[in-house]
PDB file of all heavy atoms in Angstrom:
ATOM      1  N   ASP A   1      -8.093  10.573   2.396  1.00 89.00           N
ATOM      2  CA  ASP A   1      -7.333   9.386   1.994  1.00 89.00           C
ATOM      3  C   ASP A   1      -8.166   8.107   2.020  1.00 89.00           C
ATOM      4  O   ASP A   1      -7.659   7.030   1.699  1.00 89.00           O
ATOM      5  CB  ASP A   1      -6.121   9.208   2.916  1.00 89.00           C
ATOM      6  CG  ASP A   1      -5.087  10.311   2.720  1.00 89.00           C
ATOM      7  OD1 ASP A   1      -4.988  10.815   1.581  1.00 89.00           O
ATOM      8  OD2 ASP A   1      -4.395  10.664   3.690  1.00 89.00           O
ATOM      9  N   ILE A   2      -9.438   8.233   2.416  1.00 92.00           N
ATOM     10  CA  ILE A   2     -10.312   7.056   2.418  1.00 92.00           C
ATOM     11  C   ILE A   2     -10.606   6.653   0.979  1.00 92.00           C
ATOM     12  O   ILE A   2     -10.984   7.485   0.152  1.00 92.00           O
ATOM     13  CB  ILE A   2     -11.638   7.349   3.164  1.00 92.00           C
ATOM     14  CG1 ILE A   2     -11.364   7.673   4.643  1.00 92.00           C
ATOM     15  CG2 ILE A   2     -12.608   6.178   3.047  1.00 92.00           C
ATOM     16  CD1 ILE A   2     -10.791   6.504   5.426  1.00 92.00           C
ATOM     17  N   ARG A   3     -10.428   5.368   0.665  1.00 91.00           N
ATOM     18  CA  ARG A   3     -10.615   4.866  -0.693  1.00 91.00           C
ATOM     19  C   ARG A   3     -11.829   3.945  -0.771  1.00 91.00           C
ATOM     20  O   ARG A   3     -11.992   3.050   0.062  1.00 91.00           O
ATOM     21  CB  ARG A   3      -9.363   4.117  -1.170  1.00 91.00           C
ATOM     22  CG  ARG A   3      -8.084   4.925  -1.110  1.00 91.00           C
ATOM     23  CD  ARG A   3      -6.957   4.272  -1.909  1.00 91.00           C
ATOM     24  NE  ARG A   3      -6.569   2.965  -1.408  1.00 91.00           N
ATOM     25  CZ  ARG A   3      -5.608   2.765  -0.504  1.00 91.00           C
ATOM     26  NH1 ARG A   3      -4.962   3.812   0.030  1.00 91.00           N
ATOM     27  NH2 ARG A   3      -5.286   1.543  -0.116  1.00 91.00           N
ATOM     28  N   LYS A   4     -12.661   4.159  -1.773  1.00 89.00           N
ATOM     29  CA  LYS A   4     -13.777   3.263  -2.095  1.00 89.00           C
ATOM     30  C   LYS A   4     -14.683   2.989  -0.896  1.00 89.00           C
ATOM     31  O   LYS A   4     -15.212   1.874  -0.755  1.00 89.00           O
ATOM     32  CB  LYS A   4     -13.235   1.940  -2.656  1.00 89.00           C
ATOM     33  CG  LYS A   4     -12.375   2.113  -3.897  1.00 89.00           C
ATOM     34  CD  LYS A   4     -11.793   0.797  -4.369  1.00 89.00           C
ATOM     35  CE  LYS A   4     -10.883   0.995  -5.562  1.00 89.00           C
ATOM     36  NZ  LYS A   4     -10.253  -0.275  -6.009  1.00 89.00           N
ATOM     37  N   ASN A   5     -14.819   3.963  -0.014  1.00 89.00           N
ATOM     38  CA  ASN A   5     -15.673   3.818   1.168  1.00 89.00           C
ATOM     39  C   ASN A   5     -15.265   2.644   2.055  1.00 89.00           C
ATOM     40  O   ASN A   5     -16.112   2.017   2.712  1.00 89.00           O
ATOM     41  CB  ASN A   5     -17.145   3.657   0.770  1.00 89.00           C
ATOM     42  CG  ASN A   5     -17.746   4.957   0.264  1.00 89.00           C
ATOM     43  OD1 ASN A   5     -17.447   6.032   0.797  1.00 89.00           O
ATOM     44  ND2 ASN A   5     -18.574   4.873  -0.772  1.00 89.00           N
ATOM     45  N   VAL A   6     -13.977   2.337   2.050  1.00 90.00           N
ATOM     46  CA  VAL A   6     -13.468   1.267   2.918  1.00 90.00           C
ATOM     47  C   VAL A   6     -13.038   1.894   4.240  1.00 90.00           C
ATOM     48  O   VAL A   6     -12.144   2.740   4.275  1.00 90.00           O
ATOM     49  CB  VAL A   6     -12.275   0.534   2.258  1.00 90.00           C
ATOM     50  CG1 VAL A   6     -11.713  -0.511   3.219  1.00 90.00           C
ATOM     51  CG2 VAL A   6     -12.713  -0.117   0.946  1.00 90.00           C
ATOM     52  N   PHE A   7     -13.680   1.459   5.333  1.00 89.00           N
ATOM     53  CA  PHE A   7     -13.390   2.026   6.652  1.00 89.00           C
ATOM     54  C   PHE A   7     -12.799   0.976   7.603  1.00 89.00           C
ATOM     55  O   PHE A   7     -12.998   1.025   8.803  1.00 89.00           O
ATOM     56  CB  PHE A   7     -14.663   2.627   7.259  1.00 89.00           C
ATOM     57  CG  PHE A   7     -15.151   3.834   6.508  1.00 89.00           C
ATOM     58  CD1 PHE A   7     -16.081   3.700   5.487  1.00 89.00           C
ATOM     59  CD2 PHE A   7     -14.666   5.105   6.802  1.00 89.00           C
ATOM     60  CE1 PHE A   7     -16.527   4.807   4.773  1.00 89.00           C
ATOM     61  CE2 PHE A   7     -15.108   6.213   6.096  1.00 89.00           C
ATOM     62  CZ  PHE A   7     -16.039   6.071   5.074  1.00 89.00           C
ATOM     63  N   ILE A   8     -12.086   0.016   7.046  1.00 87.00           N
ATOM     64  CA  ILE A   8     -11.415  -1.004   7.849  1.00 87.00           C
ATOM     65  C   ILE A   8      -9.988  -0.519   8.117  1.00 87.00           C
ATOM     66  O   ILE A   8      -9.210  -0.326   7.171  1.00 87.00           O
ATOM     67  CB  ILE A   8     -11.380  -2.356   7.107  1.00 87.00           C
ATOM     68  CG1 ILE A   8     -12.807  -2.801   6.770  1.00 87.00           C
ATOM     69  CG2 ILE A   8     -10.679  -3.416   7.935  1.00 87.00           C
ATOM     70  CD1 ILE A   8     -12.868  -4.035   5.888  1.00 87.00           C
ATOM     71  N   PRO A   9      -9.597  -0.297   9.363  1.00 89.00           N
ATOM     72  CA  PRO A   9      -8.267   0.251   9.658  1.00 89.00           C
ATOM     73  C   PRO A   9      -7.113  -0.517   9.015  1.00 89.00           C
ATOM     74  O   PRO A   9      -6.184   0.087   8.465  1.00 89.00           O
ATOM     75  CB  PRO A   9      -8.205   0.190  11.185  1.00 89.00           C
ATOM     76  CG  PRO A   9      -9.622   0.306  11.612  1.00 89.00           C
ATOM     77  CD  PRO A   9     -10.409  -0.447  10.591  1.00 89.00           C
ATOM     78  N   LYS A  10      -7.162  -1.859   9.058  1.00 91.00           N
ATOM     79  CA  LYS A  10      -6.029  -2.633   8.550  1.00 91.00           C
ATOM     80  C   LYS A  10      -5.804  -2.411   7.048  1.00 91.00           C
ATOM     81  O   LYS A  10      -4.705  -2.647   6.533  1.00 91.00           O
ATOM     82  CB  LYS A  10      -6.233  -4.128   8.821  1.00 91.00           C
ATOM     83  CG  LYS A  10      -7.398  -4.742   8.070  1.00 91.00           C
ATOM     84  CD  LYS A  10      -7.516  -6.244   8.343  1.00 91.00           C
ATOM     85  CE  LYS A  10      -8.651  -6.853   7.537  1.00 91.00           C
ATOM     86  NZ  LYS A  10      -8.767  -8.307   7.734  1.00 91.00           N
ATOM     87  N   TYR A  11      -6.850  -1.972   6.343  1.00 92.00           N
ATOM     88  CA  TYR A  11      -6.740  -1.723   4.909  1.00 92.00           C
ATOM     89  C   TYR A  11      -5.719  -0.625   4.635  1.00 92.00           C
ATOM     90  O   TYR A  11      -5.125  -0.583   3.552  1.00 92.00           O
ATOM     91  CB  TYR A  11      -8.117  -1.316   4.373  1.00 92.00           C
ATOM     92  CG  TYR A  11      -8.202  -1.075   2.882  1.00 92.00           C
ATOM     93  CD1 TYR A  11      -8.313  -2.139   1.995  1.00 92.00           C
ATOM     94  CD2 TYR A  11      -8.194   0.211   2.364  1.00 92.00           C
ATOM     95  CE1 TYR A  11      -8.416  -1.917   0.619  1.00 92.00           C
ATOM     96  CE2 TYR A  11      -8.296   0.446   0.997  1.00 92.00           C
ATOM     97  CZ  TYR A  11      -8.406  -0.624   0.132  1.00 92.00           C
ATOM     98  OH  TYR A  11      -8.508  -0.404  -1.226  1.00 92.00           O
ATOM     99  N   TYR A  12      -5.496   0.248   5.610  1.00 92.00           N
ATOM    100  CA  TYR A  12      -4.590   1.388   5.441  1.00 92.00           C
ATOM    101  C   TYR A  12      -3.312   1.219   6.275  1.00 92.00           C
ATOM    102  O   TYR A  12      -2.678   2.206   6.628  1.00 92.00           O
ATOM    103  CB  TYR A  12      -5.309   2.681   5.843  1.00 92.00           C
ATOM    104  CG  TYR A  12      -6.578   2.928   5.059  1.00 92.00           C
ATOM    105  CD1 TYR A  12      -7.818   2.547   5.573  1.00 92.00           C
ATOM    106  CD2 TYR A  12      -6.540   3.511   3.793  1.00 92.00           C
ATOM    107  CE1 TYR A  12      -8.984   2.762   4.861  1.00 92.00           C
ATOM    108  CE2 TYR A  12      -7.706   3.724   3.073  1.00 92.00           C
ATOM    109  CZ  TYR A  12      -8.928   3.347   3.598  1.00 92.00           C
ATOM    110  OH  TYR A  12     -10.078   3.561   2.885  1.00 92.00           O
ATOM    111  N   ASP A  13      -2.969   0.000   6.569  1.00 92.00           N
ATOM    112  CA  ASP A  13      -1.798  -0.300   7.412  1.00 92.00           C
ATOM    113  C   ASP A  13      -0.607   0.573   6.989  1.00 92.00           C
ATOM    114  O   ASP A  13      -0.051   0.392   5.898  1.00 92.00           O
ATOM    115  CB  ASP A  13      -1.446  -1.779   7.275  1.00 92.00           C
ATOM    116  CG  ASP A  13      -0.375  -2.229   8.254  1.00 92.00           C
ATOM    117  OD1 ASP A  13       0.318  -1.363   8.823  1.00 92.00           O
ATOM    118  OD2 ASP A  13      -0.224  -3.451   8.445  1.00 92.00           O
ATOM    119  N   PRO A  14      -0.176   1.494   7.832  1.00 91.00           N
ATOM    120  CA  PRO A  14       0.905   2.412   7.440  1.00 91.00           C
ATOM    121  C   PRO A  14       2.256   1.727   7.268  1.00 91.00           C
ATOM    122  O   PRO A  14       3.134   2.248   6.583  1.00 91.00           O
ATOM    123  CB  PRO A  14       0.938   3.418   8.598  1.00 91.00           C
ATOM    124  CG  PRO A  14       0.357   2.677   9.757  1.00 91.00           C
ATOM    125  CD  PRO A  14      -0.691   1.781   9.189  1.00 91.00           C
ATOM    126  N   ARG A  15       2.393   0.545   7.860  1.00 92.00           N
ATOM    127  CA  ARG A  15       3.664  -0.176   7.723  1.00 92.00           C
ATOM    128  C   ARG A  15       3.910  -0.608   6.287  1.00 92.00           C
ATOM    129  O   ARG A  15       5.055  -0.701   5.836  1.00 92.00           O
ATOM    130  CB  ARG A  15       3.681  -1.388   8.663  1.00 92.00           C
ATOM    131  CG  ARG A  15       3.667  -1.031  10.146  1.00 92.00           C
ATOM    132  CD  ARG A  15       3.493  -2.254  11.017  1.00 92.00           C
ATOM    133  NE  ARG A  15       2.220  -2.928  10.750  1.00 92.00           N
ATOM    134  CZ  ARG A  15       1.800  -4.005  11.426  1.00 92.00           C
ATOM    135  NH1 ARG A  15       2.553  -4.517  12.390  1.00 92.00           N
ATOM    136  NH2 ARG A  15       0.643  -4.563  11.131  1.00 92.00           N
ATOM    137  N   ILE A  16       2.827  -0.875   5.569  1.00 93.00           N
ATOM    138  CA  ILE A  16       2.972  -1.279   4.168  1.00 93.00           C
ATOM    139  C   ILE A  16       3.523  -0.134   3.332  1.00 93.00           C
ATOM    140  O   ILE A  16       4.421  -0.326   2.493  1.00 93.00           O
ATOM    141  CB  ILE A  16       1.620  -1.778   3.616  1.00 93.00           C
ATOM    142  CG1 ILE A  16       1.232  -3.089   4.304  1.00 93.00           C
ATOM    143  CG2 ILE A  16       1.683  -1.965   2.097  1.00 93.00           C
ATOM    144  CD1 ILE A  16      -0.144  -3.606   3.944  1.00 93.00           C
ATOM    145  N   GLU A  17       3.009   1.076   3.558  1.00 91.00           N
ATOM    146  CA  GLU A  17       3.499   2.240   2.809  1.00 91.00           C
ATOM    147  C   GLU A  17       4.964   2.513   3.136  1.00 91.00           C
ATOM    148  O   GLU A  17       5.760   2.857   2.246  1.00 91.00           O
ATOM    149  CB  GLU A  17       2.653   3.471   3.140  1.00 91.00           C
ATOM    150  CG  GLU A  17       1.196   3.355   2.708  1.00 91.00           C
ATOM    151  CD  GLU A  17       1.047   3.091   1.220  1.00 91.00           C
ATOM    152  OE1 GLU A  17       1.849   3.640   0.422  1.00 91.00           O
ATOM    153  OE2 GLU A  17       0.123   2.347   0.832  1.00 91.00           O
ATOM    154  N   ARG A  18       5.327   2.351   4.403  1.00 93.00           N
ATOM    155  CA  ARG A  18       6.744   2.548   4.780  1.00 93.00           C
ATOM    156  C   ARG A  18       7.623   1.510   4.105  1.00 93.00           C
ATOM    157  O   ARG A  18       8.740   1.811   3.658  1.00 93.00           O
ATOM    158  CB  ARG A  18       6.896   2.477   6.300  1.00 93.00           C
ATOM    159  CG  ARG A  18       6.288   3.667   7.046  1.00 93.00           C
ATOM    160  CD  ARG A  18       6.824   3.762   8.457  1.00 93.00           C
ATOM    161  NE  ARG A  18       6.412   2.635   9.274  1.00 93.00           N
ATOM    162  CZ  ARG A  18       5.321   2.638  10.049  1.00 93.00           C
ATOM    163  NH1 ARG A  18       4.528   3.707  10.081  1.00 93.00           N
ATOM    164  NH2 ARG A  18       5.013   1.589  10.779  1.00 93.00           N
ATOM    165  N   LYS A  19       7.123   0.300   4.025  1.00 94.00           N
ATOM    166  CA  LYS A  19       7.913  -0.777   3.400  1.00 94.00           C
ATOM    167  C   LYS A  19       8.088  -0.535   1.906  1.00 94.00           C
ATOM    168  O   LYS A  19       9.156  -0.834   1.342  1.00 94.00           O
ATOM    169  CB  LYS A  19       7.234  -2.134   3.634  1.00 94.00           C
ATOM    170  CG  LYS A  19       8.117  -3.314   3.303  1.00 94.00           C
ATOM    171  CD  LYS A  19       9.342  -3.346   4.207  1.00 94.00           C
ATOM    172  CE  LYS A  19      10.330  -4.403   3.787  1.00 94.00           C
ATOM    173  NZ  LYS A  19      11.533  -4.422   4.627  1.00 94.00           N
ATOM    174  N   ILE A  20       7.078   0.023   1.258  1.00 94.00           N
ATOM    175  CA  ILE A  20       7.192   0.330  -0.167  1.00 94.00           C
ATOM    176  C   ILE A  20       8.341   1.307  -0.407  1.00 94.00           C
ATOM    177  O   ILE A  20       9.116   1.152  -1.363  1.00 94.00           O
ATOM    178  CB  ILE A  20       5.865   0.896  -0.706  1.00 94.00           C
ATOM    179  CG1 ILE A  20       4.819  -0.217  -0.798  1.00 94.00           C
ATOM    180  CG2 ILE A  20       6.049   1.562  -2.062  1.00 94.00           C
ATOM    181  CD1 ILE A  20       3.436   0.249  -1.190  1.00 94.00           C
ATOM    182  N   LYS A  21       8.459   2.298   0.453  1.00 94.00           N
ATOM    183  CA  LYS A  21       9.555   3.270   0.323  1.00 94.00           C
ATOM    184  C   LYS A  21      10.905   2.590   0.499  1.00 94.00           C
ATOM    185  O   LYS A  21      11.875   2.898  -0.207  1.00 94.00           O
ATOM    186  CB  LYS A  21       9.381   4.391   1.353  1.00 94.00           C
ATOM    187  CG  LYS A  21       8.183   5.297   1.062  1.00 94.00           C
ATOM    188  CD  LYS A  21       8.057   6.385   2.117  1.00 94.00           C
ATOM    189  CE  LYS A  21       6.846   7.279   1.836  1.00 94.00           C
ATOM    190  NZ  LYS A  21       6.674   8.329   2.871  1.00 94.00           N
ATOM    191  N   GLU A  22      10.981   1.655   1.444  1.00 95.00           N
ATOM    192  CA  GLU A  22      12.243   0.939   1.676  1.00 95.00           C
ATOM    193  C   GLU A  22      12.611   0.078   0.468  1.00 95.00           C
ATOM    194  O   GLU A  22      13.766   0.024   0.051  1.00 95.00           O
ATOM    195  CB  GLU A  22      12.114   0.036   2.906  1.00 95.00           C
ATOM    196  CG  GLU A  22      12.031   0.766   4.232  1.00 95.00           C
ATOM    197  CD  GLU A  22      11.874  -0.216   5.382  1.00 95.00           C
ATOM    198  OE1 GLU A  22      12.286  -1.386   5.230  1.00 95.00           O
ATOM    199  OE2 GLU A  22      11.309   0.172   6.425  1.00 95.00           O
ATOM    200  N   LEU A  23      11.616  -0.600  -0.084  1.00 95.00           N
ATOM    201  CA  LEU A  23      11.876  -1.547  -1.174  1.00 95.00           C
ATOM    202  C   LEU A  23      12.123  -0.860  -2.515  1.00 95.00           C
ATOM    203  O   LEU A  23      12.716  -1.461  -3.420  1.00 95.00           O
ATOM    204  CB  LEU A  23      10.691  -2.507  -1.329  1.00 95.00           C
ATOM    205  CG  LEU A  23      10.490  -3.555  -0.219  1.00 95.00           C
ATOM    206  CD1 LEU A  23       9.159  -4.267  -0.401  1.00 95.00           C
ATOM    207  CD2 LEU A  23      11.636  -4.574  -0.243  1.00 95.00           C
ATOM    208  N   SER A  24      11.674   0.373  -2.661  1.00 94.00           N
ATOM    209  CA  SER A  24      11.719   1.034  -3.973  1.00 94.00           C
ATOM    210  C   SER A  24      13.125   1.231  -4.513  1.00 94.00           C
ATOM    211  O   SER A  24      13.298   1.435  -5.719  1.00 94.00           O
ATOM    212  CB  SER A  24      10.997   2.385  -3.905  1.00 94.00           C
ATOM    213  OG  SER A  24      11.632   3.230  -2.957  1.00 94.00           O
ATOM    214  N   THR A  25      14.137   1.155  -3.658  1.00 95.00           N
ATOM    215  CA  THR A  25      15.509   1.308  -4.152  1.00 95.00           C
ATOM    216  C   THR A  25      15.997   0.051  -4.874  1.00 95.00           C
ATOM    217  O   THR A  25      16.823   0.132  -5.780  1.00 95.00           O
ATOM    218  CB  THR A  25      16.467   1.625  -2.984  1.00 95.00           C
ATOM    219  OG1 THR A  25      16.376   0.583  -2.014  1.00 95.00           O
ATOM    220  CG2 THR A  25      16.117   2.958  -2.345  1.00 95.00           C
ATOM    221  N   THR A  26      15.482  -1.106  -4.449  1.00 95.00           N
ATOM    222  CA  THR A  26      15.930  -2.375  -5.038  1.00 95.00           C
ATOM    223  C   THR A  26      14.853  -3.078  -5.861  1.00 95.00           C
ATOM    224  O   THR A  26      15.155  -3.988  -6.630  1.00 95.00           O
ATOM    225  CB  THR A  26      16.393  -3.337  -3.931  1.00 95.00           C
ATOM    226  OG1 THR A  26      15.328  -3.478  -2.972  1.00 95.00           O
ATOM    227  CG2 THR A  26      17.641  -2.810  -3.239  1.00 95.00           C
ATOM    228  N   HIS A  27      13.595  -2.675  -5.680  1.00 96.00           N
ATOM    229  CA  HIS A  27      12.484  -3.338  -6.352  1.00 96.00           C
ATOM    230  C   HIS A  27      11.612  -2.327  -7.092  1.00 96.00           C
ATOM    231  O   HIS A  27      11.433  -1.203  -6.636  1.00 96.00           O
ATOM    232  CB  HIS A  27      11.599  -4.082  -5.347  1.00 96.00           C
ATOM    233  CG  HIS A  27      12.272  -5.219  -4.635  1.00 96.00           C
ATOM    234  ND1 HIS A  27      13.252  -5.018  -3.686  1.00 96.00           N
ATOM    235  CD2 HIS A  27      12.081  -6.559  -4.718  1.00 96.00           C
ATOM    236  CE1 HIS A  27      13.642  -6.192  -3.213  1.00 96.00           C
ATOM    237  NE2 HIS A  27      12.956  -7.138  -3.830  1.00 96.00           N
ATOM    238  N   LEU A  28      11.067  -2.769  -8.211  1.00 96.00           N
ATOM    239  CA  LEU A  28      10.030  -2.021  -8.908  1.00 96.00           C
ATOM    240  C   LEU A  28       8.699  -2.458  -8.299  1.00 96.00           C
ATOM    241  O   LEU A  28       8.411  -3.657  -8.221  1.00 96.00           O
ATOM    242  CB  LEU A  28      10.053  -2.339 -10.404  1.00 96.00           C
ATOM    243  CG  LEU A  28       8.959  -1.706 -11.266  1.00 96.00           C
ATOM    244  CD1 LEU A  28       9.122  -0.194 -11.292  1.00 96.00           C
ATOM    245  CD2 LEU A  28       9.007  -2.282 -12.675  1.00 96.00           C
ATOM    246  N   ILE A  29       7.902  -1.524  -7.818  1.00 97.00           N
ATOM    247  CA  ILE A  29       6.629  -1.860  -7.180  1.00 97.00           C
ATOM    248  C   ILE A  29       5.492  -1.638  -8.164  1.00 97.00           C
ATOM    249  O   ILE A  29       5.259  -0.513  -8.618  1.00 97.00           O
ATOM    250  CB  ILE A  29       6.399  -0.998  -5.913  1.00 97.00           C
ATOM    251  CG1 ILE A  29       7.624  -1.053  -4.986  1.00 97.00           C
ATOM    252  CG2 ILE A  29       5.144  -1.456  -5.189  1.00 97.00           C
ATOM    253  CD1 ILE A  29       7.945  -2.428  -4.460  1.00 97.00           C
ATOM    254  N   ARG A  30       4.805  -2.713  -8.528  1.00 97.00           N
ATOM    255  CA  ARG A  30       3.690  -2.617  -9.470  1.00 97.00           C
ATOM    256  C   ARG A  30       2.486  -3.367  -8.916  1.00 97.00           C
ATOM    257  O   ARG A  30       2.622  -4.472  -8.384  1.00 97.00           O
ATOM    258  CB  ARG A  30       4.065  -3.215 -10.827  1.00 97.00           C
ATOM    259  CG  ARG A  30       5.146  -2.436 -11.564  1.00 97.00           C
ATOM    260  CD  ARG A  30       5.240  -2.872 -13.016  1.00 97.00           C
ATOM    261  NE  ARG A  30       4.014  -2.574 -13.757  1.00 97.00           N
ATOM    262  CZ  ARG A  30       3.873  -2.820 -15.069  1.00 97.00           C
ATOM    263  NH1 ARG A  30       4.884  -3.362 -15.752  1.00 97.00           N
ATOM    264  NH2 ARG A  30       2.738  -2.527 -15.689  1.00 97.00           N
ATOM    265  N   ASP A  31       1.301  -2.766  -9.046  1.00 97.00           N
ATOM    266  CA  ASP A  31       0.097  -3.460  -8.589  1.00 97.00           C
ATOM    267  C   ASP A  31      -0.376  -4.430  -9.662  1.00 97.00           C
ATOM    268  O   ASP A  31      -0.141  -4.226 -10.864  1.00 97.00           O
ATOM    269  CB  ASP A  31      -1.010  -2.471  -8.215  1.00 97.00           C
ATOM    270  CG  ASP A  31      -1.489  -1.648  -9.403  1.00 97.00           C
ATOM    271  OD1 ASP A  31      -2.323  -2.156 -10.165  1.00 97.00           O
ATOM    272  OD2 ASP A  31      -1.003  -0.500  -9.553  1.00 97.00           O
ATOM    273  N   ILE A  32      -1.025  -5.495  -9.223  1.00 98.00           N
ATOM    274  CA  ILE A  32      -1.458  -6.547 -10.140  1.00 98.00           C
ATOM    275  C   ILE A  32      -2.438  -6.011 -11.177  1.00 98.00           C
ATOM    276  O   ILE A  32      -2.403  -6.417 -12.353  1.00 98.00           O
ATOM    277  CB  ILE A  32      -2.071  -7.725  -9.348  1.00 98.00           C
ATOM    278  CG1 ILE A  32      -0.960  -8.447  -8.566  1.00 98.00           C
ATOM    279  CG2 ILE A  32      -2.786  -8.707 -10.271  1.00 98.00           C
ATOM    280  CD1 ILE A  32      -1.446  -9.600  -7.702  1.00 98.00           C
ATOM    281  N   GLY A  33      -3.284  -5.072 -10.780  1.00 98.00           N
ATOM    282  CA  GLY A  33      -4.251  -4.503 -11.714  1.00 98.00           C
ATOM    283  C   GLY A  33      -3.592  -3.865 -12.917  1.00 98.00           C
ATOM    284  O   GLY A  33      -3.998  -4.099 -14.074  1.00 98.00           O
ATOM    285  N   SER A  34      -2.564  -3.050 -12.689  1.00 97.00           N
ATOM    286  CA  SER A  34      -1.881  -2.389 -13.807  1.00 97.00           C
ATOM    287  C   SER A  34      -1.129  -3.398 -14.667  1.00 97.00           C
ATOM    288  O   SER A  34      -1.007  -3.221 -15.881  1.00 97.00           O
ATOM    289  CB  SER A  34      -0.920  -1.317 -13.284  1.00 97.00           C
ATOM    290  OG  SER A  34       0.172  -1.901 -12.581  1.00 97.00           O
ATOM    291  N   MET A  35      -0.629  -4.465 -14.038  1.00 97.00           N
ATOM    292  CA  MET A  35       0.061  -5.506 -14.802  1.00 97.00           C
ATOM    293  C   MET A  35      -0.926  -6.251 -15.694  1.00 97.00           C
ATOM    294  O   MET A  35      -0.590  -6.637 -16.816  1.00 97.00           O
ATOM    295  CB  MET A  35       0.767  -6.469 -13.843  1.00 97.00           C
ATOM    296  CG  MET A  35       1.915  -5.812 -13.059  1.00 97.00           C
ATOM    297  SD  MET A  35       2.607  -6.884 -11.785  1.00 97.00           S
ATOM    298  CE  MET A  35       3.463  -8.108 -12.770  1.00 97.00           C
TER     299      MET A  35
END
């Protein structure tokens, strides 16, 4: 699951992934790059 050789723990903050699941019922989640 390591991305782009980034080994900074905060980069993978698991709380963010949990929050995405919570928000997905009311919000569309899109990254700025794809937009």
